[in-house]
Amino acid sequence: MATIEFWYEFASTYSFLAAEEVEAAAQQAGVGVLWRPFLLGPIFAGQGYATSPFNLFPLKGRNMWRDLARRAAQLGHPAIVRPDPFPANGLLAARVATALADADRPAFSRAVFRAEFVAGDDISDRAVIGRLAAGLGHDAEALLARAGADEVKAALRTATARAEQIGIYGAPSFVTADGELFWGSDRLADALAWAKGERWGLPA
């Protein structure tokens, strides 16, 4: 089966949208999805950004929040909450997602995004993350302890370094098995088509 890697950052608004759509779209296309949490902050810092471009460029930011509201409403989330501060601190959530088995990562990640952008919860709060994990049937304390282990921290740093190495500069991003990079939730369909061999006349 063809696969794509779904690279996402918990502070990313459009990663939220992609997390809502990717599984159903991939299943319909007959493509597998590998969920890859990473940290966008270090990559932004390497680009000279101290915060999100949506904060640095107010016009872009205002339009993004309106666009997010429109698209989220289409997905059944008519009331979107803006985290304060934005971007939210997604480090703990990313460590927990990294600590989870591949099969458990999608449900947890969707729960975190919904808690952040729909319920307005603080995803940097251990109690919030623990509650989400417990709600999915995990031993919250054991999972949080595992997420704090050195090997999990190192794995997240390695994932972030790999994201930068393969050219990722924003989230969400989709990467096909042959290394083709697609940036943005609105490029999901293109990524799935490419994974299945569609090239639109471009060379392989």
Side-chain angles (χ1 to χ4, degrees):
M1 175 186 286
T3 61
I4 60 169
E5 292 184 329
F6 167 38
W7 291 84
Y8 59 100
E9 150 73 76
F10 283 112
S12 162
T13 53
Y14 287 104
S15 288
F16 159 56
L17 295 179
E20 291 288 297
E21 299 176 286
V22 64
E23 289 286 351
Q27 183 176 17
Q28 185 174 5
V31 176
V33 182
L34 304 172
W35 289 60
R36 301 288 192 230
F38 75 111
L39 299 177
L40 194 51
I43 294 176
F44 276 171
Q47 298 169 350
Y49 294 157
T51 184
S52 167
F54 294 126
N55 290 339
L56 294 172
F57 306 103
L59 287 176
K60 185 175 185 178
R62 282 197 295 272
N63 183 249
M64 179 276 292
W65 287 110
R66 182 59 179 171
D67 183 57
L68 180 72
R70 288 194 302 258
R71 295 203 54 213
Q74 291 174 337
L75 296 170
H77 302 299
I80 291 299
V81 177
R82 176 173 178 164
D84 184 18
F86 174 79
N89 183 344
L91 177 60
L92 176 61
R95 286 176 175 169
V96 173
T98 300
L100 285 169
D102 289 348
D104 294 326
R105 195 170 295 129
F108 172 77
S109 299
R110 284 192 298 269
V112 171
F113 279 121
R114 291 175 185 178
E116 178 184 7
F117 291 110
V118 179
D121 292 334
D122 178 3
I123 62 167
S124 70
D125 187 331
R126 287 176 64 88
V128 169
I129 296 300
R131 172 174 54 80
L132 297 174
L136 294 168
H138 300 291
D139 182 329
E141 286 305 315
L143 179 56
L144 285 167
R146 189 160 72 250
D150 288 343
E151 58 266 30
V152 171
K153 295 178 181 179
L156 181 57
R157 288 194 297 269
T158 298
T160 300
R162 179 171 173 254
E164 187 169 21
Q165 182 181 28
I166 62 181
I168 289 175
Y169 54 89
S173 290
F174 308 99
V175 181
T176 58
D178 63 349
E180 195 75 10
L181 171 65
F182 297 82
W183 169 60
S185 60
D186 57 346
R187 290 295 179 266
L188 172 57
D190 291 348
L192 294 170
W194 189 280
K196 295 184 68 175
E198 189 168 346
R199 295 295 181 270
W200 310 292
L202 292 175

